[in-house]
């Protein structure tokens, strides 16, 4: 394979206060929905700040989520329908808003300490992400410029932002020039992919394969990366591709932060939770 690929830089690596900020979609700006949003964002921030995806759905968080408001230092709304006509008699009842929540760093750190964890404040390696999608006869790799993977690209970047990671994605022309297809990706050894990623600033290679399963009405996903001289493999089944990407990038963060290997999940085990 050729040793040069054109990559798309993902979100800026999270640092400092960014690790203690999260965003969720809520309906309207009422207090009930805001309190619910605070609880969701608290779990996301605990995962983001520590790199420990294993906190997702952890029952120990219930007590903290019930008083999430007490950890909040500020919040703001962005109307997703800004500029569009109001659709209901209440004016804002059914309008979706992005609720961004800021948490007090010391209080989040204290919660993590109680849970036996600590904030991941050291350098977070940039992930070079190769993802193959297979649905029936359709098979393609998610790229920065391919129209068939627009939704998946946006979802990957959103997942990286949610988990406090920086990623790069390949360009279509570069993949073609290097003769990298889905089948090639499945057999390419990591030592062959690593220098390609490094050319564009990718420090760790993360490879994912998503296959649509009609029976599960979701994607069966396999993720793999090498780190610390060891292979790391995990799976998730029966989920949306958005959730599969969150599990893939979140799992990589868990390994890189020293919080252990990700656990294989299925939809029945909570793998399709919207976190």
């Amino acid at each position: 394979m050729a040793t040069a690929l054109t990559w798309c830089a993902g979100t800026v690596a999270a640092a400092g206060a960014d690790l203690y900020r999260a965003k969720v979609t809520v309906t309207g700006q009422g207090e009930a929905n805001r309190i619910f949003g605070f609880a969701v964002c608290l779990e996301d921030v605990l995962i983001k700040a520590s790199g420990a995806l294993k906190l997702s759905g952890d029952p120990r968080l219930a007590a903290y989520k019930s008083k999430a408001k007490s950890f909040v230092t500020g919040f703001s709304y962005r109307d997703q329908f800004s500029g569009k006509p109001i659709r209901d008699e209440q004016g804002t009842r059914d309008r979706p808003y992005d609720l961004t929540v800021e948490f007090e760093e010391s209080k989040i750190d204290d919660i993590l300490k109680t849970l036996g964890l600590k904030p991941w404040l050291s350098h977070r390696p940039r992930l070079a992400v190769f993802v193959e999608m297979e649905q029936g006869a359709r098979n393609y790799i998610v790229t920065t410029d391919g129209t068939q993977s627009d939704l998946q690209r946006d979802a990957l970047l959103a997942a990286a932002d949610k988990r406090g990671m920086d990623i790069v994605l390949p360009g279509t022309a570069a993949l073609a020039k290097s003769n990298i297809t889905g089948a090639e990706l499945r057999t390419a050894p990591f030592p062959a992919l690593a220098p390609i990623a490094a050319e564009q600033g990718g420090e760790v290679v993360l490879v994912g394969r998503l296959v649509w399963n009609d029976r599960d009405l979701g994607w069966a996903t396999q993720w793999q990366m090498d780190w610390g001289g060891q292979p790391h493999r995990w799976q998730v089944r029966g989920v949306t591709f958005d959730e599969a990407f969150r599990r893939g990038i979140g799992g990589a963060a868990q390994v890189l932060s020293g919080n252990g290997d990700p656990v294989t999940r299925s939809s029945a085990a909570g793998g399709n939770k919207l976190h």
Side-chain angles (χ1 to χ4, degrees):
M1 288 182 287
T3 58
L5 286 180
T6 301
W7 293 82
C8 165
T11 54
V12 176
D18 287 345
L19 295 178
Y20 299 86
R21 180 186 304 122
K23 181 173 67 177
V24 67
T25 298
V26 295
T27 303
Q29 299 185 45
E31 184 176 8
N33 283 340
R34 182 164 59 250
I35 294 301
F36 170 79
F38 287 171
V40 172
C41 285
L42 176 62
E43 180 168 317
D44 281 343
V45 158
L46 289 169
I47 294 171
K48 186 179 183 180
S50 65
L53 180 65
K54 59 189 177 183
L55 287 178
S56 177
D58 191 322
R60 294 178 299 170
L61 301 188
Y64 300 107
K65 291 167 73 173
S66 67
K67 54 182 180 181
K69 182 179 179 180
S70 64
F71 309 125
V72 173
T73 59
F75 63 90
S76 62
Y77 288 97
R78 186 187 71 85
D79 187 351
Q80 292 184 0
F81 288 170
S82 179
K84 297 181 180 180
I86 293 173
R87 301 188 306 176
D88 66 285
E89 72 281 2
Q90 297 293 324
T92 58
R93 186 185 64 193
D94 67 349
R95 293 175 77 87
Y97 289 83
D98 290 330
L99 171 63
T100 299
V101 186
E102 304 270 358
F103 291 91
E104 188 171 329
E105 296 181 19
S106 61
K107 291 184 177 180
I108 295 300
D109 292 351
D110 287 344
I111 296 174
L112 290 175
K113 185 177 180 180
T114 302
L115 297 170
L117 299 167
K118 58 184 179 181
W120 181 23
L121 301 178
S122 59
H123 172 67
R124 298 189 174 203
R126 175 182 291 173
L127 296 173
V129 184
F130 296 82
V131 175
E132 175 195 3
M133 307 287 297
E134 181 179 325
Q135 186 172 19
R138 298 182 67 217
N139 182 284
Y140 56 91
I141 294 175
V142 179
T143 64
T144 179
D145 53 356
T147 54
Q148 66 179 338
S149 60
D150 282 351
L151 293 176
Q152 289 80 18
R153 179 195 63 233
D154 291 347
L156 272 168
L157 294 175
D161 180 62
K162 193 178 191 71
R163 298 310 181 207
M165 299 298 293
D166 188 16
I167 67 172
V168 288
L169 300 174
T172 345
L175 285 174
K177 183 178 179 181
S178 303
N179 296 316
I180 299 179
T181 63
E184 180 80 21
L185 187 57
R186 282 173 239 160
T187 58
F190 274 86
L193 295 175
I196 300 172
E199 283 257 339
Q200 302 301 325
E203 300 169 79
V204 180
V205 172
L206 174 65
V207 177
R209 182 167 187 252
L210 278 69
V211 180
W212 178 258
N213 187 305
D214 285 327
R215 184 179 59 186
D216 292 342
L217 293 178
W219 297 90
T221 310
Q222 298 177 337
W223 294 98
Q224 54 183 322
M225 64 180 286
D226 286 352
W227 180 251
Q230 297 292 326
H232 301 272
R233 309 289 184 266
W234 63 102
Q235 302 177 9
V236 56
R237 299 182 59 88
V239 297
T240 65
F241 62 73
D242 299 83
E243 177 61 16
F245 295 157
R246 288 190 285 264
R247 291 285 170 184
I249 294 175
Q254 181 162 300
V255 172
L256 295 170
S257 62
N259 283 300
D261 282 327
V263 177
T264 290
R265 297 289 187 102
S266 68
S267 57
N272 61 345
K273 293 176 63 179
L274 297 179
H275 288 300

